[in-house]
Amino acid sequence: MSERRTLFGVELDPLTMDETVARCLAAVRNGGQLEIGVVNAAKLVTMRQDERLARAVAGCDLVLADGQAVVWAGRVLRAPLPERVAGIDLFLRLLAEAEAAGFSVYFLGARQEVLERMLLQVADRFPGLKVAGSRNGYFDDSEQEEIADGIARSGGQLLFLGMTSPKKEIFTAAYGTRTGARVVHGVGGSFDILAGVTKRAPRSWQRLGMEWLYRALQEPRRLGRRYLTTNVAFLLMTARERFRPAPPAAPANRSH
């Protein structure tokens, strides 16, 4: 297994998409459990102020670079990561693999109408997929245990959480094991994209690391200021790490 890379005090797994998918399928087949955390520039910035989020991500079995900026920062800071493993791309790969292997999935998240639209799209794209169950993402913290038990009763082997941070990470940390799912993957706004509520950036924008800008242009009032603030903070974090003075060498012992 590849040695983890440390970036801004966060340990990341230097895996390719294919390696990640293989690890997930092995967990389902062998009765293991994988809780997957993904980080982009905005989340790494937020984790510096949100200790609960930082602990939840650190507790995941796999922590992956979801953002292209994280991959670039890894190169600059000599903690190389092989490629971006975008949460939505991993989500779609795992749906296809689950359909082929006969594994069952559970969807938790989004508004009810968005969830229903997504389920229709999933049924169209993956007609042989076994859907063990689904539930919208609007619930109180007091309901989390009951929801986790419901997922366990469904027998869902792969659990996808279409919720925002830090809600999905905190649910995973507290109740991921209780759900009985072999793979727990927080996919953020992917349900909205599959449902057709929001559009994903074209590949050319993704390659340039400008997916955040494409999203901000769709929702400028909600996301514009947030992305600008976090991206500037991420650049400053990277610059500080890159040019941080090396610690002074310990004085050599002298024998008298």
Side-chain angles (χ1 to χ4, degrees):
M1 194 168 74
S2 303
E3 188 175 333
R4 282 184 144 185
R5 308 282 190 260
T6 303
L7 205 57
F8 309 111
V10 179
E11 291 193 343
L12 285 89
D13 293 279
L15 299 176
T16 64
M17 176 65 76
D18 288 344
E19 289 168 339
T20 304
V21 170
R23 291 278 295 276
C24 291
L25 297 180
V28 179
R29 291 191 177 106
N30 302 332
Q33 187 172 48
L34 276 183
E35 293 178 358
I36 299 172
V38 296
V39 293
N40 56 20
K43 193 182 293 185
L44 285 169
V45 170
T46 304
M47 284 166 64
R48 293 221 151 173
Q49 285 87 41
D50 189 334
E51 190 177 325
R52 196 177 175 194
L53 174 61
R55 282 200 308 270
V57 171
C60 289
D61 302 294
L62 291 182
V63 181
L64 307 166
D66 178 47
Q68 189 60 44
V70 178
V71 176
W72 290 339
R75 290 177 195 157
V76 170
L77 300 177
R78 301 182 182 88
L81 300 160
E83 65 181 13
R84 177 191 184 202
V85 181
I88 185 169
D89 293 333
L90 178 59
F91 178 33
L92 293 171
R93 279 284 301 272
L94 290 176
L95 289 179
E97 295 286 352
E99 179 187 32
F103 299 150
S104 60
V105 303
Y106 193 104
F107 301 106
L108 175 63
R111 302 191 311 275
Q112 185 63 33
E113 60 270 27
V114 172
L115 179 62
E116 288 170 5
R117 285 171 64 178
M118 186 206 71
L119 289 171
L120 290 173
Q121 292 298 319
V122 166
D124 186 52
R125 290 179 68 168
F126 308 100
L129 182 67
K130 294 180 182 175
V131 178
S134 63
R135 192 201 189 284
N136 69 57
Y138 288 79
F139 51 84
D140 294 328
D141 288 351
S142 61
E143 298 177 86
Q144 290 186 113
E145 189 173 303
E146 181 186 337
I147 289 167
D149 288 343
I151 295 166
R153 286 193 299 272
S154 79
Q157 293 166 291
L158 294 97
L159 169 61
F160 300 105
L161 304 175
M163 302 186 291
T164 57
S165 294
K167 188 172 182 177
K168 65 178 182 290
E169 288 86 2
I170 290 169
F171 180 87
T172 298
Y175 296 101
T177 301
R178 191 176 182 120
T179 67
R182 297 305 175 191
V183 174
V184 182
H185 177 25
V187 300
S190 299
F191 287 13
D192 285 1
I193 292 172
L194 259 66
V197 175
T198 56
K199 289 183 179 178
R200 193 177 182 197
R203 289 283 179 189
S204 56
W205 289 59
Q206 293 176 42
R207 283 193 295 270
L208 293 169
M210 300 298 281
E211 198 163 4
W212 65 271
L213 179 58
Y214 192 87
R215 284 197 64 202
L217 290 172
Q218 289 186 73
E219 300 181 77
R221 288 190 175 184
R222 189 173 78 86
L223 298 176
R225 183 183 176 86
R226 185 202 306 177
Y227 277 136
L228 185 62
T229 304
T230 54
N231 284 352
V232 169
F234 185 75
L235 285 171
L236 290 173
M237 274 169 54
T238 305
R240 276 197 296 269
E241 288 287 325
R242 178 68 181 83
F243 299 108
R244 184 196 297 269
N253 290 327
R254 298 186 180 211
S255 50
H256 297 284

